[in-house]
Amino acid sequence: CLHPVRCDRPHQRRRAPARQDPFGAGVRTKLSRNVMISSTVIDPLSGKAIGGVALGGKPEFGVSAGDGKLYVNIEDRAEIVEIDAAAQKGVRRWSLAPCTEPTGLAIDRTRHRLFSGCHNRVMAISDATTGKVIATVPIGGGVDGDAFDPGTGLAFSSDGEGTVTVVHQDSPTKYRVVSTVPTKRGARTMALDPRILFLDEPSAGLDPITSAGLDQTIRGLSQGLGITFVVAAAGVILLLSRVAGGKEE
């Protein structure tokens, strides 16, 4: 649920007061249906604020570890705060230096890694177990969203300058940039669902033979991996999805 609170069923909407600047940090916990928004805890069933957490700074994006722990970037202090969701309190914090103004945040729950996108053009990678920054990699300017794909082990930084930075883990403490994908200037937020891939003009600028080959590759991936592709091209949106019996729709 985000602020204003929008509950599970779309016809049920309620509003609850949140503290100043609720942008970014909105996370559903696994232990309860409570939601952390800035330093306000909101129960989306009742739409009421039921508590608060002192974060000690300006919160940005937050993530859930899935075990009752939440992590939130603190932009003005260049820190991460660890929150105990059940106790509704911050239990630990650490510096993200040399990162400044962290915004986007993603988590690798298997390896306990946190990926903070920072406005000084670095991604700071933290070990959530030890509470320390273990690596940094360069990213584009104007970051405002990070994501992690557990299927590929890749982390992504969405950069407002018009790029997505793709980062690979070579070892538990070594990361490197493997690709910088051009997007559009101002496109600085992102969402990732490994079951759904959105492709915008994937064959733009390609010759007819290469374009046809790319089309077959996309269809093959859809069939082989069971991934839904939403392809936008020449004003037409094509949905490719494997359905029962292995047929494509």
Side-chain angles (χ1 to χ4, degrees):
C1 289
L2 304 177
H3 175 74
V5 171
R6 182 172 298 175
C7 296
D8 293 334
R9 285 173 286 184
H11 66 278
Q12 292 186 342
R13 295 186 183 182
R14 299 183 177 93
R15 290 176 181 265
R19 302 184 184 184
Q20 184 177 8
D21 193 14
F23 179 76
V27 183
R28 182 188 299 275
T29 78
K30 190 174 183 180
L31 296 182
S32 69
R33 296 175 66 90
N34 299 341
V35 180
M36 310 301 298
I37 300 178
S38 186
S39 56
T40 304
V41 183
I42 296 175
D43 179 0
L45 293 180
S46 65
K48 295 181 180 179
I50 60 174
V53 179
L55 299 178
K58 181 182 176 183
E60 261 286 340
F61 280 90
V63 294
S64 168
D67 59 0
K69 294 179 181 178
L70 310 176
Y71 298 92
V72 180
N73 277 339
I74 305 299
E75 184 179 21
D76 57 340
R77 297 175 62 95
E79 293 178 337
I80 283 183
V81 171
E82 179 183 290
I83 297 169
D84 182 323
Q88 297 183 21
K89 67 178 182 180
V91 295
R92 190 169 54 142
R93 65 194 313 128
W94 64 87
S95 171
L96 290 174
C99 160
T100 61
E101 297 183 75
T103 54
L105 182 63
I107 185 170
D108 176 354
R109 292 179 176 177
T110 301
R111 299 180 179 87
H112 310 289
R113 297 293 187 259
L114 296 165
F115 304 88
S116 297
C118 310
H119 276 200
N120 60 334
R121 294 175 174 260
V122 300
M123 176 187 286
I125 301 155
S126 297
D127 183 335
T129 302
T130 62
K132 295 181 179 179
V133 173
I134 59 172
T136 60
V137 293
I139 60 173
V143 59
D144 199 42
D146 281 18
F148 177 77
D149 182 359
T152 62
L154 297 175
F156 304 88
S157 167
S158 182
D159 312 318
E161 68 178 20
T163 60
V164 169
T165 306
V166 184
V167 177
H168 180 264
Q169 182 191 56
D170 291 338
S171 73
T173 59
K174 184 178 180 181
Y175 292 78
R176 64 186 171 93
V177 175
V178 294
S179 181
T180 300
V181 182
T183 56
K184 292 290 185 179
R185 187 171 184 83
R188 62 194 186 123
T189 57
M190 70 185 313
L192 186 147
D193 185 340
R195 299 164 301 176
I196 303 175
L197 295 179
F198 295 87
L199 302 180
D200 184 15
E201 301 281 357
S203 59
L206 300 181
D207 61 81
I209 294 177
T210 305
S211 179
L214 177 61
D215 179 68
Q216 291 301 313
T217 298
I218 294 172
R219 292 177 184 272
L221 290 172
S222 176
Q223 288 291 298
L225 300 179
I227 297 174
T228 296
F229 285 85
V230 180
V231 183
V236 177
I237 297 179
L238 177 65
L239 176 66
L240 299 175
S241 177
R242 188 176 68 178
V243 295
K247 295 181 180 180
E248 182 183 85
E249 66 174 13

